[in-house]
């Protein structure tokens, strides 16, 4: 049946990916079957053939494509790590979060470079303003995160936020002390999970690629209120202060300007 052919196509293609990927024509990516004559056809076209006419041993899988070249990812990692000591793992973790469009939670005391890494990540997306950060407290309101109500819109009897420069228009968002803003929990869950944000009576799409959150200490294990928020962060890491062995390196490491023209917009293809 057609369903059987499609299922075998997927299973055989995954099993023989490493062996036969080099046999895939570059101009026609995807899974391939071959007829009894050896002529390659696509999986979609294979459905029109009988199972006995197909040679599943000839299935090949094209190498997966990615919007950013490996050398550009290495340059981005180097830009994040520049001038920092013992922060290679954290730098590559926030880069991995951006590359996979997932969110990162960093747990550590103040002064260990959590916000600096996130600012640098935002600079790699655009030469313009693509970064937003906020220090959350129990008094933080949606206006502080998504923008105040637009006075111009209110004159026209429309409830709409002046959102430029706030979380809804940023590709990288840094949320400091993420577990303190209990009143913002529904809006933050919506932003992180659905990538939309509340604007009056409507939900608008956010430009968010990745959010990095920080906290000085882990939440109380007996507190269930933050479980949903905690689960939104696929990558989590404890960030320790620089060790005694690395303190000398920290003193000898020259200060460096964070911004470099050749690093700007390295991660721009990840917006799509």
């Amino acid at each position: 049946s057609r369903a059987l052919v499609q299922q075998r196509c997927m299973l055989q293609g995954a099993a023989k990916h490493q062996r036969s990927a080099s046999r895939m024509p570059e101009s026609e990516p995807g899974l391939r079957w071959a007829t009894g004559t050896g002529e390659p056809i696509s999986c979609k076209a294979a459905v029109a053939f009988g199972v006995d006419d197909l040679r599943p041993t000839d299935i090949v899988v094209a190498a997966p494509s990615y919007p950013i070249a490996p050398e550009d990812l290495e340059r981005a990692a180097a830009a994040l790590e520049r001038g920092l000591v013992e922060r290679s793992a954290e730098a590559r973790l926030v880069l991995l979060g951006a590359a996979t469009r997932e969110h990162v939670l960093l747990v550590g005391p103040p002064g260990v470079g959590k916000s600096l890494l996130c600012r640098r990540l935002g600079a790699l997306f655009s030469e313009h303003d693509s970064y937003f950060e906020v220090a959350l407290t129990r008094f933080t309101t949606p206006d502080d995160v998504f923008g105040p109500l637009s006075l111009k819109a209110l004159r026209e009897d429309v409830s709409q936020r002046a959102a430029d420069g706030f979380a809804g228009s940023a590709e990288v968002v840094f949320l400091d002390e993420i577990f303190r803003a209990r009143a913002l929990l529904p809006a933050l869950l919506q932003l992180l999970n659905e990538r939309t944000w509340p604007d009056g009576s409507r939900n608008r799409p956010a430009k968010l690629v990745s959010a990095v959150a920080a906290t000085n200490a882990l939440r109380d294990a007996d507190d269930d209120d933050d479980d949903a928020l905690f689960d939104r962060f696929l990558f989590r890491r404890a960030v320790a202060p620089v060790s005694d062995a690395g303190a000398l390196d920290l003193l000898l490491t020259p200060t460096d300007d964070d911004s470099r023209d050749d690093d700007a917009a390295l991660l721009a293809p990840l917006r799509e």
Side-chain angles (χ1 to χ4, degrees), residues 172-265:
V172 177
V173 173
F174 179 61
L175 302 169
D176 197 11
E177 293 303 327
I178 181 68
F179 297 114
R180 289 186 178 178
R182 297 295 183 88
L184 281 177
L185 183 60
L188 291 178
L189 290 175
Q190 179 180 338
L191 175 67
L192 297 174
N193 191 48
E194 302 173 16
R195 283 181 167 80
T196 62
W197 57 279
D199 186 16
S201 60
R202 295 176 293 179
N203 292 326
R204 296 187 181 275
K207 296 181 179 180
L208 180 65
V209 174
S210 179
V212 179
T215 181
N216 292 340
L218 286 174
R219 60 196 176 88
D220 188 348
D222 297 329
D223 190 350
D224 296 332
D225 293 340
D226 297 326
D227 281 349
L229 185 59
F230 186 77
D231 289 342
R232 293 302 183 271
F233 297 94
L234 180 63
F235 303 112
R236 307 157 190 167
R237 181 173 176 83
V239 186
V242 175
S243 65
D244 293 340
L248 182 59
D249 293 335
L250 184 63
L251 293 174
L252 296 179
T253 300
T255 57
D256 196 359
D257 184 11
D258 291 343
S259 60
R260 289 194 176 182
D261 294 339
D262 55 348
D263 293 335

Side-chain angles (χ1 to χ4, degrees), residues 108-208:
V112 294
K114 302 187 296 290
S115 59
L116 177 59
L117 284 173
C118 195
R119 292 189 191 106
R120 289 183 175 182
L121 182 67
L124 293 176
F125 274 89
S126 175
E127 298 178 359
H128 308 290
D129 186 16
S130 60
Y131 170 79
F132 172 79
E133 72 172 78
V134 59
L136 300 174
T137 70
R138 60 178 179 173
F139 303 109
T140 303
T141 68
D143 291 357
D144 300 319
V145 179
F146 302 108
L149 291 176
S150 170
L151 295 179
K152 181 179 179 180
L154 286 176
R155 294 190 186 100
E156 300 174 0
D157 200 20
V158 175
S159 177
Q160 181 176 326
R161 295 187 181 277
D164 290 344
F166 287 87
S169 61
E171 290 145 354
V172 177
V173 173
F174 179 61
L175 302 169
D176 197 11
E177 293 303 327
I178 181 68
F179 297 114
R180 289 186 178 178
R182 297 295 183 88
L184 281 177
L185 183 60
L188 291 178
L189 290 175
Q190 179 180 338
L191 175 67
L192 297 174
N193 191 48
E194 302 173 16
R195 283 181 167 80
T196 62
W197 57 279
D199 186 16
S201 60
R202 295 176 293 179
N203 292 326
R204 296 187 181 275
K207 296 181 179 180
L208 180 65

